[in-house]
Amino acid sequence: LALGGDKYQAVFLSNNQVYFGKLSNLKSDYPVLRDIFYLQVTQTLQPQDPKIPPPDGGQQIQLVKLGNELHGPIDEMKINKGHILFIEDLKPDSQVVKAIEAFKKSQ
């Protein structure tokens, strides 16, 4: 793993959540994830034309920046190491990294 620096990691947790960000302090009991994003799946309740089902099953997936939730978290998460199933480095040309870069350019 290329922890810290410019690389993004995908952190898969035991509660089926996946967060994308920059992970550090991996040797700690509570590694720290910063610059955090996650995927949000929204279900279309009613298709535009009921005779034509949507090609994606009515689901839309979007990448969401952590911080705008109701409870207003800061952009840092200390994760209990015991709940991390696995961690993957993301390629610079992955769809997630490209979406993060596009989000940052739009800010």
Side-chain angles (χ1 to χ4, degrees):
L1 286 173
L3 298 179
D6 292 346
K7 285 217 177 210
Y8 282 92
Q9 285 82 34
V11 181
F12 294 79
L13 303 178
S14 59
N15 64 356
N16 293 326
Q17 292 286 338
V18 181
Y19 291 98
F20 305 98
K22 295 179 180 179
L23 193 63
S24 61
N25 296 349
L26 193 59
K27 292 185 182 192
S28 164
D29 287 339
Y30 289 88
V32 177
L33 190 66
R34 292 184 177 91
D35 201 4
I36 306 167
F37 291 81
Y38 59 93
L39 295 175
Q40 186 173 60
V41 179
T42 54
Q43 185 76 31
T44 305
L45 296 179
Q46 190 157 353
Q48 298 292 338
D49 185 344
K51 296 178 211 119
I52 305 170
D56 57 5
Q59 290 185 338
Q60 290 184 331
I61 299 174
Q62 77 181 88
L63 194 66
V64 178
K65 177 74 174 130
L66 184 78
N68 292 321
E69 294 77 11
L70 183 63
H71 60 291
I74 62 168
D75 194 14
E76 178 179 291
M77 185 183 294
K78 292 177 180 80
I79 302 170
N80 183 327
K81 192 175 191 175
H83 290 282
I84 297 175
L85 296 177
F86 59 96
I87 301 161
E88 295 177 334
D89 281 334
L90 301 181
K91 296 179 189 176
D93 64 346
S94 79
Q95 289 184 13
V96 169
V97 173
K98 285 181 178 180
I100 290 171
E101 289 169 354
F103 172 84
K104 288 183 171 188
K105 284 180 185 171
S106 72
Q107 295 302 300

